[in-house]
Amino acid sequence: MKKRAFDALGLEEDEEDEEGPPFEMCLGSGHYHALVGANPIDVGAEIQIAEALSLECDEPVYSIERANDPWTVMSWRKGTLEVLEVSPDDLASSLGCPLPGKESSSRAARKPLRHVALAEGVRTHEAHRALEEEYGAPLPPGRYRLEETPRGLRLSSGTGDIGFADVNLSERLPDVIVYGVIASPSLDVFIVNMLQAGECIGQFAQPPRESSFMPGVGQIKGERSPERILAALGIPAELFLNT
């Protein structure tokens, strides 16, 4: 399973950055084992791994993303994603597979990262409809903040995290470029994922990430600093402050 997970990322098993492996493995008592993302910066790693593994399995593949509070549980069946309304601990108990304790999650919680997106050429009603189609239900009031700007539709959340809404939008609106920005309040950690048709077509990262499985780019809209990139995207830096 570990080898297949690394294969899904296009990495060798010994190819890790200074932060360590991109996920943790927790062996279960039966035929289920846990694959838990170890770094919240690696948005998309679990998606890529779980999607690939689910294509090989008859039973669902579950992944857990720890950038959110509470953690987000996802089920994959033959490449199709479903976000589950279940706690990680309850799922783990039902599958006979323990999860890492709070101490092991300290690396994921070290940086108070927030997540905002910009979708070019999209109107509010289009994004709202696309997200409702993705989730298969009306969006809860206030779940997202959708704001039309001269540079595109800005997507944020009062919680500071939009989950996979940027990825989902890019899947539902495949001709649109969506910029998913993940950053710390001081912008010392700053990631921009350029998404199209559900795939990352370019990732800007500060500090640079040598072993990222995403295709790296050196600029976004001709800009190379976090402050100027945010200005080019029309995303206020204040959205990344934890208030």
Side-chain angles (χ1 to χ4, degrees):
M1 180 176 175
K2 182 178 180 181
K3 183 181 185 303
R4 289 177 177 176
F6 272 91
D7 287 345
L9 296 180
L11 300 174
E12 300 295 333
E13 288 191 56
D14 59 352
E15 190 176 346
E16 301 174 358
D17 60 23
E18 62 182 10
E19 296 288 343
F23 56 85
E24 295 181 35
M25 299 285 296
C26 303
L27 297 180
S29 58
H31 63 289
Y32 264 101
H33 310 289
L35 173 66
V36 185
N39 193 328
I41 296 175
D42 284 316
V43 173
E46 289 175 338
I47 293 176
Q48 194 162 342
I49 294 169
E51 181 179 12
L53 292 179
S54 73
L55 296 174
E56 303 178 22
C57 304
D58 293 328
E59 297 184 43
V61 175
Y62 301 95
S63 61
I64 298 170
E65 191 267 307
R66 296 190 287 176
N68 297 336
D69 185 16
W71 297 353
T72 301
V73 178
M74 291 156 281
S75 170
W76 290 81
R77 290 178 181 268
K78 299 301 180 184
T80 300
L81 165 67
E82 179 184 3
V83 177
L84 303 181
E85 297 296 331
V86 62
S87 76
D89 288 333
D90 288 345
L91 175 67
S93 296
S94 70
L95 300 177
C97 183
L99 293 176
K102 291 298 182 182
E103 291 184 2
S104 67
S105 68
S106 61
R107 178 152 54 97
R110 184 172 57 197
K111 292 287 187 180
L113 303 178
R114 297 174 79 86
H115 191 178
V116 180
L118 181 86
E120 291 186 328
V122 176
R123 306 298 295 273
T124 300
H125 70 276
E126 294 175 304
H128 201 276
R129 182 175 63 247
L131 291 172
E132 287 193 337
E133 289 175 351
E134 179 67 28
Y135 298 129
L139 294 178
R143 179 166 185 174
Y144 300 118
R145 294 173 180 167
L146 302 176
E147 303 170 86
E148 292 185 18
T149 78
R151 295 172 178 83
L153 183 75
R154 188 164 61 226
L155 176 64
S156 61
S157 169
T159 67
D161 184 75
I162 60 172
F164 299 105
D166 52 348
V167 178
N168 295 334
L169 267 184
S170 73
E171 289 178 336
R172 291 286 175 174
L173 303 171
D175 295 330
V176 169
I177 301 294
V178 180
Y179 297 85
V181 182
I182 304 161
S184 61
S186 62
L187 306 183
D188 59 323
V189 174
F190 187 80
I191 309 290
V192 181
N193 291 315
M194 295 174 56
L195 304 164
Q196 186 170 35
E199 301 289 337
C200 181
I201 60 174
Q203 182 185 79
F204 176 94
Q206 180 178 291
R209 307 181 61 228
E210 298 295 334
S211 60
S212 174
F213 63 93
M214 303 289 193
V217 296
Q219 52 81 29
I220 297 291
K221 291 190 173 295
E223 303 294 350
R224 299 178 181 275
S225 71
E227 294 81 3
R228 293 184 66 86
I229 288 173
L230 290 178
L233 294 175
I235 297 177
E238 290 77 14
L239 290 178
F240 298 95
L241 297 177
N242 288 274
T243 57

